[in-house]
Amino acid sequence: MAHDAPATRPANPRFSSGPCAKPPTYDVSKLSTESLGRSHRAAIGKERLKLAIDRTREVLEVPEDYRIGIVPGSDTGAFEMAMWTMLGARPVEMVAWESFGAGWVTDAVKQLKLDATVHEAEYGEIVDLASLDWSRDVCFTWNGTTSGVRVPSGDAIPADREGLTLCDATSAAFAQDLPWDKLDVVTFSWQKALGGEAAHGVLILSPRAVERLESYTPAWPLPKIFRLTKGGKLNEGIFRGETINTPSMLCVEDYLFALDWAASVGGLRGMIGRADANTAAIAEFVEKNDWIEFLPADPAIRSNTSVCLKFTDSRIADGAAFAKAVQKRLEKEGVGLDLGAYRDAPPGLRIWCGATVETADVVALMPWIDWAFHAEIEAQEAAA
């Protein structure tokens, strides 16, 4: 029996998990342009970069004694900068439950050749953090962008830990509570939860991380863009907006617009509330339909940003082909763009629910997923 297409369409069909949807009020003509075409070393360039750092601290509620720097290479560059400059001083625990965490394992084991113990979990699950040896340095992702899981809290991280905690928070920042007292290095890219442009990363360091940088010299050479110290002391200029290499001031202005928008919706608390409301709309849909489920079975570890779903209907013969077909139907209708699961993840759908996405658009998308599912089931049965 054919299902009619829903009457309501999402006003914004962009649900990509990175780069993510722009803030709802975004208008490129509203960006400040005074810094464009000027040197980032000029007073106006440094002023705008410093403002981006200060507004980041304000919105994310970062402690005053933590340093915040804008660095090259997106979140990947920021996290690898931390790994290359701080790891090796003591053994390390590498924790992975999705593709990007697995990449950090490769860096630690095959590139840096560290004394590393590797802990891995399947997609949709996380490692038991209480089982880790916190006397070692620990590297992990807070939110699994490709697996739809997140750390539920920082309770398992000891306040009196001996090692450093290096946390890739790129799809958690601006949407989830990060316990700053439990985290020594935090990285993210503003192209995720704030819908910014790509290629720039943010590196946040605790006093303990700074102490490591100033007391430890890695055995391997460091490229220029990884160097955070000069003469054995932290290069404080990086954390005042004096970037290591040339940033895009247009991207900086774009980020400043997004930070202003974040403040206008209630800052971090408002952003978390918006992401939670988006995920709740999907949870309500999943509860009503027995052919679709969250990839993570445990609600306590489900992400409220990168929401991963799987089809469970017994009539589906080829899960990957079916999920791609549903995705194509949604994209052809222009109601849901970039909804495919990550290439290394189990087949299904991935819906970005960060705060820049409007809940009304998530609500409007759900009947279209229902429509696409049934249309593809009927097409599969007709071809059989």
Side-chain angles (χ1 to χ4, degrees):
M1 177 181 175
H3 278 61
D4 293 333
T8 302
R9 308 169 71 86
N12 184 356
R14 294 171 176 83
F15 296 98
S16 165
S17 290
C20 302
K22 292 290 188 184
T25 60
Y26 186 78
D27 182 343
V28 70
S29 69
K30 295 179 181 177
L31 301 187
S32 174
T33 58
E34 287 185 52
S35 67
L36 305 189
R38 296 291 309 277
S39 170
H40 63 296
R41 304 293 186 198
I44 188 171
K46 290 193 286 187
E47 174 190 322
R48 300 301 281 177
L49 287 159
K50 180 62 163 55
L51 179 60
I53 288 171
D54 291 344
R55 296 305 307 279
T56 299
R57 184 183 306 279
E58 175 187 334
V59 174
L60 278 183
E61 302 175 6
V62 179
E64 286 298 324
D65 59 349
Y66 279 52
R67 268 75 159 199
I68 302 174
I70 297 169
V71 299
S74 195
D75 176 66
T76 301
F79 201 80
E80 291 192 328
M81 178 183 291
M83 291 181 67
W84 257 252
T85 56
M86 292 180 228
L87 296 186
R90 60 177 59 227
V92 61
E93 302 268 282
M94 298 300 302
V95 184
W97 43 68
E98 48 94 50
S99 301
F100 294 104
W104 309 142
V105 169
T106 297
D107 286 350
V109 175
K110 295 186 177 180
Q111 300 299 322
L112 296 175
K113 303 185 186 305
L114 297 171
D115 178 6
T117 300
V118 178
H119 305 264
E120 296 178 297
E122 297 295 325
Y123 279 85
E125 301 175 3
I126 67 170
V127 169
D128 178 12
L129 296 184
S131 69
L132 303 181
D133 181 356
W134 298 95
S135 69
R136 300 177 167 215
D137 294 334
V138 179
C139 297
F140 66 104
T141 55
W142 191 272
N143 186 91
T145 309
T146 65
S147 61
V149 299
R150 65 173 171 182
V151 176
S153 75
D155 292 349
I157 304 174
D160 60 349
R161 61 194 178 279
E162 297 175 41
L164 297 181
T165 51
L166 282 69
C167 175
D168 172 357
T170 198
S171 55
F174 300 101
Q176 297 169 18
D177 263 316
L178 297 173
W180 294 106
D181 61 322
K182 302 295 185 73
L183 304 175
D184 296 302
V185 177
V186 174
T187 67
F188 68 87
S189 171
W190 57 52
Q191 55 107 352
K192 290 288 186 184
L194 279 183
E197 294 302 304
H200 299 75
V202 174
L203 175 68
I204 304 178
L205 305 178
S206 75
R208 298 180 76 243
V210 173
E211 182 183 8
R212 171 69 62 82
L213 285 167
E214 294 183 338
S215 63
Y216 165 69
T217 301
W220 44 82
L222 294 175
K224 179 180 178 180
I225 60 171
F226 280 7
R227 295 172 197 162
L228 293 170
T229 60
K230 283 185 177 181
K233 293 295 183 180
L234 186 72
N235 182 353
E236 294 284 3
I238 295 171
F239 306 94
R240 294 193 298 261
E242 299 168 16
T243 53
I244 295 173
N245 69 338
T246 307
S248 163
M249 294 309 299
L250 182 58
C251 291
V252 172
E253 295 298 343
D254 188 276
Y255 180 48
L256 285 168
F257 180 97
L259 286 167
D260 286 344
W261 172 82
S264 76
V265 297
L268 180 59
R269 302 305 133 190
M271 298 276 280
I272 292 173
R274 288 174 64 91
D276 286 347
N278 291 339
T279 308
I282 296 178
E284 182 177 351
F285 176 77
V286 170
E287 181 67 25
K288 293 177 180 177
N289 294 281
D290 61 4
W291 44 264
I292 194 166
E293 292 178 1
F294 287 95
L295 181 59
D298 182 0
I301 63 170
R302 287 177 190 159
S303 171
N304 67 341
T305 56
S306 52
V307 177
C308 295
L309 305 172
K310 60 182 180 180
F311 295 107
T312 58
D313 195 283
S314 61
R315 293 169 291 180
I316 299 173
D318 184 332
F322 185 89
K324 287 181 180 179
V326 169
Q327 179 195 354
K328 287 181 179 179
R329 287 181 184 273
L330 295 168
E331 187 156 339
K332 184 177 180 181
E333 291 292 332
V335 295
L337 307 178
D338 305 318
L339 292 175
Y342 191 73
R343 60 180 178 267
D344 295 332
L349 301 178
R350 182 171 57 153
I351 304 170
W352 183 256
C353 286
T356 58
V357 173
E358 297 275 39
T359 302
D361 289 333
V362 179
V363 171
L365 174 65
M366 295 302 102
W368 282 98
I369 293 177
D370 181 79
W371 168 82
F373 166 79
H374 286 97
E376 193 55 36
I377 286 288
E378 289 166 6
Q380 177 181 282
E381 292 177 339

